[in-house]
């Protein structure tokens, strides 16, 4: 059975190749989407080629709703988006995939049902399909090559849904069992280097010494160091001092 996670239905309108249906299912499941509806697939249904392409998302194909028309596919929906890369001469709101999925998330949270229409591979959705939509999703592709593969369009829209419906951390650091160094550790590292560099005569000429020490301290504070990094840098300096003393 489909998951109980609130989400839009992705409607593949008259898809032509079973491989693309399977790839679309895989793209949907990458982002936790499992409400697929299929309108009049060209090569009939079920399609063995779609199963091979779906990989681990074959369940979506088993549970997909098969219907004969676009109107039937969206009959229970309150709001419908139609994806297209080209202007169709119809007066409708046109939104980016990002904004579309924000709207979808808001409406679904309010208890509405939302669907997204994806057209057949050869020419995309027809005006008769788009006329049933409340808004158009316009993918900002290269105008000299506006053709977008069905599964790619599904993947892009699914990604935007994930961004709109989930808390996405835009950047993180995998710590690999390490911990960030505390300020006292950075302070002692700075003391260690400053003392040894002073002994080596690094801070020259004398009137620039304070500025050089300040820059060195500032450098340590800019570096994202773990406790292990700090210990390694201490060890590097100790070994260099030992090597110099042995050489002397």
């Amino acid at each position: 059975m489909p998951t109980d996670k609130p989400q839009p239905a992705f409607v593949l309108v008259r898809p032509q190749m079973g491989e693309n249906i399977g790839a679309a299912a895989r793209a949907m499941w990458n982002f936790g989407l499992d409400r697929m509806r299929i309108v009049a697939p060209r090569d009939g249904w079920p399609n063995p080629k779609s199963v091979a392409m779906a990989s681990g998302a074959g369940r979506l194909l088993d549970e997909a709703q098969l219907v004969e028309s676009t109107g039937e596919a969206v009959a229970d929906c309150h709001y419908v988006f139609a994806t297209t890369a080209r202007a169709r001469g119809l007066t409708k709101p046109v939104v980016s995939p990002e904004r579309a999925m924000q709207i979808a998330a808001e409406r679904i949270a309010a208890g509405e049902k939302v669907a997204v229409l994806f057209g057949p591979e050869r020419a995309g959705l027809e005006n008769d399909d788009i006329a049933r939509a409340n808004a158009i999703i316009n993918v900002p592709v290269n105008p000299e090559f506006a053709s977008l593969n069905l599964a790619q369009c599904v993947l892009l829209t699914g990604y935007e849904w994930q961004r709109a419906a989930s808390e996405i951390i835009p950047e993180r650091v995998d710590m690999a069992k390490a911990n960030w160094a505390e300020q006292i550790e950075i302070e002692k590292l700075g003391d260690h280097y400053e003392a040894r560099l002073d002994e080596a005569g690094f801070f020259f000429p004398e009137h620039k010494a304070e500025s050089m020490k300040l820059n060195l301290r500032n450098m340590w504070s800019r570096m994202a160091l773990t406790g292990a990094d700090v210990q390694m840098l201490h060890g590097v300096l100790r070994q260099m001092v030992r090597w110099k003393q042995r050489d002397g």
Side-chain angles (χ1 to χ4, degrees):
M1 293 293 293
T3 61
D4 57 4
K5 180 181 178 181
Q7 60 184 268
F10 278 20
V11 183
L12 310 187
V13 180
R14 298 181 298 280
Q16 296 170 302
M17 298 178 63
E19 293 89 341
N20 282 335
I21 300 173
R26 184 172 182 174
M28 287 176 62
W29 193 227
N30 281 148
F31 299 106
L33 293 161
D34 61 355
R35 305 289 199 284
M36 176 181 279
R37 301 179 183 184
I38 305 173
V39 178
R42 182 190 66 182
D43 297 336
W45 195 256
N47 188 317
K49 293 181 179 179
S50 68
V51 177
M53 281 298 295
S55 187
R59 176 180 67 79
L60 274 68
L61 303 177
D62 295 336
E63 297 166 354
Q65 295 181 30
L66 180 65
V67 296
E68 291 299 317
S69 68
T70 303
E72 184 181 353
V74 299
D76 64 338
C77 295
H78 302 91
Y79 202 88
V80 178
F81 292 99
T83 59
T84 179
R86 293 178 286 133
R88 296 292 187 154
L90 297 173
T91 302
K92 285 188 184 295
V94 179
V95 295
S96 67
E98 179 181 21
R99 179 57 186 147
M101 292 301 97
Q102 290 171 352
I103 295 170
E106 292 166 2
R107 288 182 171 274
I108 289 172
E112 297 184 21
K113 290 185 178 180
V114 176
V116 183
L117 304 178
F118 299 88
E121 298 89 321
R122 183 179 61 83
L125 293 168
E126 296 178 0
N127 278 2
D128 187 59
D129 303 308
I130 297 173
R132 289 177 164 78
N134 301 97
I136 291 172
I137 299 176
N138 186 243
V139 180
V141 295
N142 177 5
E144 296 181 6
F145 188 63
S147 176
L148 190 64
N149 176 269
L150 171 60
Q152 291 174 333
C153 191
V154 169
L155 183 73
L156 186 154
T157 309
Y159 168 69
E160 293 297 350
W161 165 256
Q162 180 83 327
R163 291 183 64 209
S166 306
E167 183 178 353
I168 304 298
I169 300 174
E171 183 177 349
R172 72 174 192 270
V173 176
D174 290 333
M175 295 301 293
K177 298 181 180 180
N179 294 307
W180 293 119
E182 296 178 354
Q183 285 299 314
I184 186 63
E185 296 177 272
I186 304 297
E187 186 76 15
K188 289 181 177 179
L189 179 66
D191 291 342
H192 189 188
Y193 270 76
E194 188 174 306
R196 293 293 175 262
L197 290 172
D198 203 10
E199 291 175 6
F202 176 77
F203 299 113
F204 180 85
E206 187 174 344
H207 69 275
K208 292 186 177 180
E210 289 306 313
S211 175
M212 295 171 71
K213 291 177 182 179
L214 181 63
N215 288 339
L216 187 62
R217 292 280 178 177
N218 192 45
M219 181 189 75
W220 295 125
S221 70
R222 291 201 315 270
M223 298 173 68
L225 297 173
T226 66
D229 295 333
V230 169
Q231 292 305 312
M232 182 183 68
L233 289 168
H234 277 299
V236 168
L237 189 55
R238 291 190 189 102
Q239 186 60 32
M240 291 179 69
V241 171
R242 293 191 193 104
W243 172 79
K244 177 60 179 175
Q245 292 172 343
R246 183 182 58 190
D247 187 57

